Amino acid sequence: MKQVLQQRRGLTVVREVPVPACPPGAVLVANSFSVISSGTERATVIGAQKSLLEKARAKPEAVRQVADMVRSQGLKETRRFVDRKLDETIALGYSCAGTVVEVGSAVRDIKPGDRVACAGVGHASHAEVVAVPSNLCAKVPEGVPLEQAAFGTIAAIALHGVRLAELSLGERAAVIGSGLVGQIACRLLSAAGVEVIALDLDPAKVEAAIKSGASHGFVADERAAANVIGASGSIGVDASLVTAAAPVNDPLLLAAEVTRDRGSVVLVGAVPIDMPRGPLYMKELNFRVSRSYGPGRYDPSYEQHGIDYPISFVRWTEQRNIGAVLDLIAAGRLDLSDLIEDMVKVEDAVEAYGRITSGEAGQRGAIVLSYNGSGDQLRSQPAAATVVPAASGKLEATRKPVSSVRLGLVGPGAFASGVGPSASNAQATFGFNRVSESADALLEDSGVDAVVIATRHSTHATQSARALRAGKHVLVEKPLALTAEQLEEVISAANESSGSLTVGFNRRFSPFLQQAKDFLSGEGPMIAVYRVASGQLATDNWNHDIDVGGGRLHGEGCHFLDSLAFLTGSPIAEVSTIGFGRPDLPAQAADNLIIS
């Protein structure tokens, strides 16, 4: 399938990549339309096109990390790492709409054939088929065109900002910044009975905002504050929404100046938060920063695991905000059709991004990408494993001595998914001959002799068992399994397979441990202490997720237990564990452990 990707070195490309798998809590959607965000995505592309020096100036924290790596790992390894990072590509897009073609086993309220609007960076991408967690999908009502539904996420950003302003019928609001989000905010406020005053540096955008529902519009020049105060009856507005993107804090200063005493300023756009105390104190202003498209954003439990917030406690989640936008369109109270500046095929996305970064397009609306709708034909292989009998002639042929091994890798990258951009990156970086259409297809490919499984921990057992039953040799990253049931499944498959199974316990192969074992051999009983200082992981790191990473005990502790078993030459008879330092996590997920 085709997907739009951004290389870190600056080149935007449309590349053929595998169709993503469908996780249990997600749905596969054949895209019909996706919207290029003229603000967020334009900034991403322009940032990638900067020189290395400009990137370093923009991200000093990344420079510090590189310097630390040079000290700890040396210049050569650091250079290799930086070059690899610069060669990576990232998925573009975060707002799209299409038709569901497959539903994960844990999804209950969405079915194949449903039309949905999708959200999320890394999920609702510019691609023919996308895998999107269920809480980031909202069903599209009958009568709502999918090209308008594709704006759902971007419109939800505007709607969440409007909600944070807490405006009521008859009040006044200033919308500072009349780009795409600002235009939508004007329409939402007008639909709610709020008198809107729009401001922007560009007179054409101000004129467009008035057409979008603003009662007044002014150019954001030195007379702007006086104009707004005059239009508000010398009171000032009840709330200001800053929807601009600017490298300076001028929009925030203007918002503070035009907002009435004890009013609200809500930052929706990308502006430096450099607000002097004076304006906030003298008016006792309420200043809030809007976090994307609503409650649930950046919460893994909500976005990845599908755990919804009770409506009695959180009325408007990000999914409900998208749904509200779609309902307004269905009711005829919101029309976004005129915000489509142009519609181009996904094959022409590179040219479309060129127009946006040059300023030729995306000034008031957006460019929409269209797809051929063939997602249902692009679906990956069935989930059921294909069992290849040991007596198969084809299998026998692959087990004879050969001059080279046909190797498949599932999970290229830093524990990546093994599909989409990560697989495409691996092909370009490491010289793989081809990219498989899916992980399932690779595991069952008769043209592959051996597979390396380097995906996230929760998939190791299932993928290993599937490859073994297909008669392949398997090298799987540790841990082999997260539960006893998974372990039994893999052992059963290994016992029945003509292929071999190896787990990535690499410590026992180090020269130091091998010499230590030789030195200690024949010494009788021993007491061994293995102290590990691997540092703490971020709280939201996927290793802490018991269902995905299994916790650090499973993910890393297994290395050291294997090392001790190797040194002593004895199997483990009994284990006790204490985890401490994080009472909110079970022991196996704790960063600090004592294992006896």
Side-chain angles (χ1 to χ4, degrees):
M1 70 169 190
K2 294 179 177 62
Q3 181 166 4
V4 184
L5 303 170
Q6 176 66 47
Q7 294 182 340
R8 294 186 188 273
R9 293 187 188 273
L11 189 64
T12 307
V13 296
V14 179
R15 189 172 288 169
E16 288 288 339
V17 302
V19 173
C22 186
V27 298
L28 279 192
V29 178
N31 260 340
S32 295
F33 303 97
S34 62
V35 179
I36 299 178
S37 169
S38 50
T40 304
E41 294 187 68
R42 180 176 183 271
T44 299
V45 174
I46 290 177
Q49 292 172 348
K50 291 180 178 179
S51 67
L52 283 177
L53 180 58
E54 290 172 321
K55 290 176 181 176
R57 286 172 175 166
K59 294 185 176 182
E61 71 284 355
V63 176
R64 287 193 292 270
Q65 290 174 357
V66 170
D68 290 342
M69 189 173 182
V70 170
R71 284 191 290 268
S72 63
Q73 300 189 35
L75 184 60
K76 183 177 180 181
E77 182 60 31
T78 303
R79 177 63 183 269
R80 185 182 296 116
F81 171 80
V82 171
D83 285 342
R84 191 162 60 242
K85 294 295 289 185
L86 289 173
D87 285 334
E88 285 181 354
T89 54
I90 59 173
L92 291 172
Y94 64 89
S95 186
C96 66
T99 304
V100 176
V101 295
E102 184 175 340
V103 175
S105 58
V107 178
R108 296 290 176 264
D109 56 349
I110 301 176
K111 63 182 185 301
D114 284 346
R115 301 189 314 153
V116 292
C118 307
V121 174
H123 301 297
S125 307
H126 300 311
E128 290 184 291
V129 180
V130 291
V132 186
S134 59
N135 273 355
L136 296 181
C137 296
K139 291 184 181 179
V140 179
E142 285 295 326
V144 176
L146 285 178
E147 58 267 31
Q148 287 198 52
F151 282 84
T153 304
I154 298 171
I157 294 172
L159 179 57
H160 183 51
V162 168
R163 294 196 192 285
L164 291 180
E166 298 181 343
L167 290 156
S168 59
L169 187 69
E171 291 189 312
R172 295 186 182 95
V175 176
I176 303 174
S178 299
L180 180 58
V181 173
Q183 298 286 334
I184 297 174
C186 288
R187 299 179 189 204
L188 292 170
L189 288 164
S190 180
V194 175
E195 183 180 341
V196 183
I197 303 173
L199 299 105
D200 198 277
L201 292 171
D202 186 347
K205 290 184 179 181
V206 173
E207 182 180 347
I210 293 175
K211 292 180 180 178
S212 291
S215 303
H216 313 278
F218 303 107
V219 175
D221 56 17
E222 66 278 0
R223 301 183 304 276
N227 288 333
V228 173
I229 298 297
S232 63
S234 300
I235 299 172
V237 297
D238 298 286
S240 292
L241 273 73
V242 179
T243 54
V248 292
N249 69 338
D250 292 358
L252 280 181
L253 297 178
L254 177 58
E257 193 172 358
V258 302
T259 304
R260 67 165 172 82
D261 190 68
R262 294 187 178 180
S264 297
V265 175
V266 178
L267 176 58
V268 180
V271 174
I273 302 178
D274 183 10
M275 193 77 151
R277 179 176 180 270
L280 295 175
Y281 173 78
M282 293 304 295
K283 290 186 177 181
E284 201 173 17
L285 294 176
N286 176 29
F287 176 58
R288 304 184 72 173
V289 178
S290 178
R291 186 170 63 183
S292 201
Y293 19 97
R297 191 72 182 107
Y298 306 115
D299 179 355
S301 296
Y302 179 90
E303 293 194 327
Q304 304 299 327
H305 298 167
I307 300 175
D308 200 2
Y309 299 155
I311 197 168
S312 54
F313 292 94
V314 184
R315 177 62 183 91
W316 294 108
T317 61
E318 54 185 317
Q319 183 189 54
R320 292 171 195 145
N321 275 336
I322 297 171
V325 168
L326 299 175
D327 288 339
L328 287 171
I329 297 173
R333 298 174 64 189
L334 180 65
D335 183 6
L336 304 177
S337 60
D338 62 315
L339 293 179
I340 301 175
E341 288 189 10
D342 196 7
M343 188 175 293
V344 302
K345 294 181 178 180
V346 66
E347 294 87 346
D348 301 321
V350 174
E351 182 267 339
Y353 273 94
R355 290 164 56 192
I356 287 175
T357 55
S358 68
E360 178 187 341
Q363 291 298 311
R364 185 185 64 84
I367 294 180
V368 174
L369 300 181
S370 65
Y371 301 83
N372 59 17
S374 60
D376 49 347
Q377 279 81 45
L378 293 171
R379 182 61 197 112
S380 60
Q381 297 295 314
T386 301
V387 179
V388 181
S392 163
K394 186 177 296 184
L395 188 64
E396 289 296 329
T398 64
R399 297 296 166 253
K400 293 178 181 178
V402 291
S403 58
S404 61
V405 175
R406 296 169 295 183
L407 179 68
L409 171 62
V410 184
F415 293 99
S417 62
V419 296
S422 61
S424 179
N425 290 339
Q427 184 180 28
T429 303
F430 300 112
F432 283 91
N433 289 336
R434 59 188 173 92
V435 175
S436 180
E437 64 185 37
S438 69
D440 290 350
L442 187 152
L443 294 174
E444 298 167 8
D445 190 337
S446 61
V448 173
D449 304 312
V451 295
V452 175
I453 295 173
T455 51
R456 291 191 174 184
H457 302 162
S458 58
T459 61
H460 287 181
T462 301
Q463 291 179 343
S464 297
R466 182 167 294 170
L468 288 165
R469 290 194 174 106
K472 303 188 188 311
H473 300 290
V474 175
L475 169 59
V476 59
E477 255 297 345
K478 50 77 198 166
L480 177 59
L482 295 182
T483 67
E485 291 76 13
Q486 291 178 353
L487 185 61
E488 290 171 359
E489 179 189 7
V490 181
I491 292 174
S492 174
N495 289 335
E496 299 168 2
S497 178
S498 58
S500 58
L501 172 64
T502 306
V503 183
F505 291 131
N506 52 29
R507 275 27 174 213
R508 62 167 59 211
F509 297 104
S510 72
F512 170 76
L513 276 188
Q514 291 185 346
Q515 291 173 26
K517 182 177 176 64
D518 291 341
F519 178 78
L520 295 169
S521 62
E523 292 296 321
M526 68 178 76
I527 296 174
V529 177
Y530 201 137
R531 177 169 291 176
V532 183
S534 58
Q536 289 192 332
L537 297 177
T539 304
D540 59 353
N541 186 282
W542 64 268
N543 279 279
H544 286 316
D545 187 324
I546 298 301
D547 295 328
V548 177
R552 298 194 80 177
L553 176 55
H554 281 131
E556 298 177 49
C558 55
H559 262 316
F560 314 116
L561 298 178
D562 178 73
S563 300
L564 291 172
F566 170 72
L567 282 175
T568 61
S570 168
I572 296 171
E574 186 177 347
V575 176
S576 66
T577 303
I578 299 174
F580 58 97
R582 285 292 306 276
D584 58 319
L585 295 174
Q588 62 264 40
D591 281 308
N592 296 300
L593 295 159
I594 296 175
I595 306 171
S596 298

